[in-house]
Amino acid sequence: MLLRLLSSSLGRSQAARELRWMQQARDSGASCLSLEDMVNRRLTGEPLQYILGTQPFGPLNLLTRPPVLIPRPETENWVIKLAETLSPTPSKPVTLLDLGTGSGCIPLLLCHLWPPGSINAHAVDVSTHALRLAEDNAKLCGFPSRSSEEKPHNTFSSHKANFLAQDFSQVASRINPAFDIITSNPPYIPFDEYLKLSPSVLNFEDPKALFGGPSGLEFYHAIARLVSSKDILRPDAMVALEVGHNQARSVESIMRATGRFRLTEIWLDPWGKQRTVIAHV
């Protein structure tokens, strides 16, 4: 009966997979919902990740709660590549600023992949819901806000701030005087594409985490203002920005126009799309 209901909405093969995952969540105790309740919520179009309450992200299994943006596989891909590109160590740690952190997935995966004591991550978001979820994920993953001298840890701290604000560079410098890495998967969907999003995204995920202004580039201009600030980037710093459909060249130009970077490059995602703009000081 439940499989038939789901199949009418998702198709039989996808319905069978999702029903199996729901049953596994029930059997493991990860969810206290009945299978019927989960199916009924799914039939309304609610994303499965919100119903199950978790989403794999690299080796991590992160908590998910509406309306915070659900971590995507294309983000996971470039974060893992970033982790493989850089090699921080406890003797030469890096300081990271993640803008619009959402679930905290980007800095937390880097904290997991790099050696203990090699990264101090700072996460910024305007959403109280997002910051609460990011903090819960940091606790789940075992990353404290401070490291101890006896046993170094990779650390994660969260900060409520709006990086669109004209004075955000002053806020960032109070968080930490300068950064080795700035990362962001900012809102980048332009208005015309936002209206065409699937109902499961449009009706459940926070529009503030999706809509990037009329052109979709509003937040990249804000990041450009930040990196143009004196001393916010340390020597040899890197900026890594996820971008949307057909935005890579525009975002690359925005970063180059700051005059702060000696090199920029564009990384493709596993589906061949230009997904990440990398800028090197």
Side-chain angles (χ1 to χ4, degrees):
M1 175 64 174
L2 294 178
L3 178 59
R4 188 165 67 250
L5 284 171
L6 266 184
S7 297
S8 66
S9 176
L10 304 173
R12 187 173 180 83
S13 60
Q14 181 65 21
R17 283 193 294 270
E18 293 198 9
L19 198 60
R20 184 173 67 251
W21 294 330
M22 292 176 190
Q23 187 63 61
Q24 289 171 351
R26 283 283 302 152
D27 293 344
S28 68
S31 176
C32 60
L33 295 171
S34 70
L35 205 56
E36 184 176 3
D37 285 342
M38 285 192 268
V39 168
N40 287 335
R41 285 173 61 176
R42 190 71 180 103
L43 290 172
T44 69
E46 183 174 357
L48 180 66
Q49 294 91 334
Y50 288 156
I51 297 168
L52 298 180
T54 59
Q55 167 65 18
F57 195 73
L60 303 177
N61 197 34
L62 297 177
L63 301 173
T64 54
R65 289 196 296 264
V68 183
L69 190 72
I70 298 165
R72 266 50 173 194
E74 55 267 33
T75 308
E76 173 191 298
N77 176 261
W78 72 257
V79 176
I80 291 173
K81 184 175 180 179
L82 181 63
E84 294 169 346
T85 301
L86 302 175
S87 302
T89 64
S91 61
K92 195 174 180 181
V94 294
T95 302
L96 176 143
L97 178 65
D98 185 47
L99 301 170
T101 199
S103 64
C105 60
I106 293 172
L108 291 176
L109 183 52
L110 292 173
C111 284
H112 179 86
L113 295 174
W114 283 335
S118 64
I119 175 175
N120 298 308
H122 301 275
V124 167
D125 208 293
V126 72
S127 165
T128 301
H129 293 292
L131 291 174
R132 190 177 299 122
L133 179 60
E135 290 160 4
D136 288 346
N137 275 322
K139 291 176 185 176
L140 178 69
C141 297
F143 300 120
S145 59
R146 295 182 181 179
S147 186
S148 65
E149 294 182 4
E150 296 80 14
K151 187 178 180 181
H153 295 279
N154 289 335
T155 64
F156 175 93
S157 63
S158 62
H159 312 267
K160 186 172 185 179
N162 181 2
F163 72 91
L164 285 179
Q166 291 291 328
D167 64 347
F168 178 72
S169 61
Q170 299 172 34
V171 177
S173 63
R174 288 196 293 270
I175 292 171
N176 202 74
F179 299 93
D180 300 287
I181 308 168
I182 292 178
T183 56
S184 187
N185 175 19
Y188 56 64
I189 298 176
F191 184 71
D192 58 340
E193 291 182 22
Y194 179 76
L195 296 177
K196 299 174 185 176
L197 290 173
S198 67
S200 65
V201 175
L202 195 60
N203 297 338
F204 291 93
E205 295 188 84
D206 189 349
K208 293 193 295 295
L210 297 166
F211 180 50
S215 69
L217 300 174
E218 183 177 9
F219 288 83
Y220 300 107
H221 288 292
I223 294 169
R225 288 197 301 270
L226 172 65
V227 300
S228 297
S229 303
K230 184 179 179 182
D231 300 329
I232 200 71
L233 295 174
R234 288 177 174 156
D236 300 319
M238 176 187 284
V239 176
L241 307 174
E242 183 168 326
V243 299
H245 179 64
N246 288 335
Q247 291 178 331
R249 294 299 178 189
S250 296
V251 173
E252 185 180 38
S253 295
I254 291 169
M255 291 299 109
R256 284 179 175 175
T258 65
R260 296 299 309 275
F261 303 106
R262 59 181 172 80
L263 173 69
T264 59
E265 56 183 318
I266 294 171
W267 290 353
L268 302 183
D269 68 17
W271 300 274
K273 295 182 178 180
Q274 295 182 330
R275 182 59 62 188
T276 318
V277 172
I278 305 294
H280 304 265
V281 171

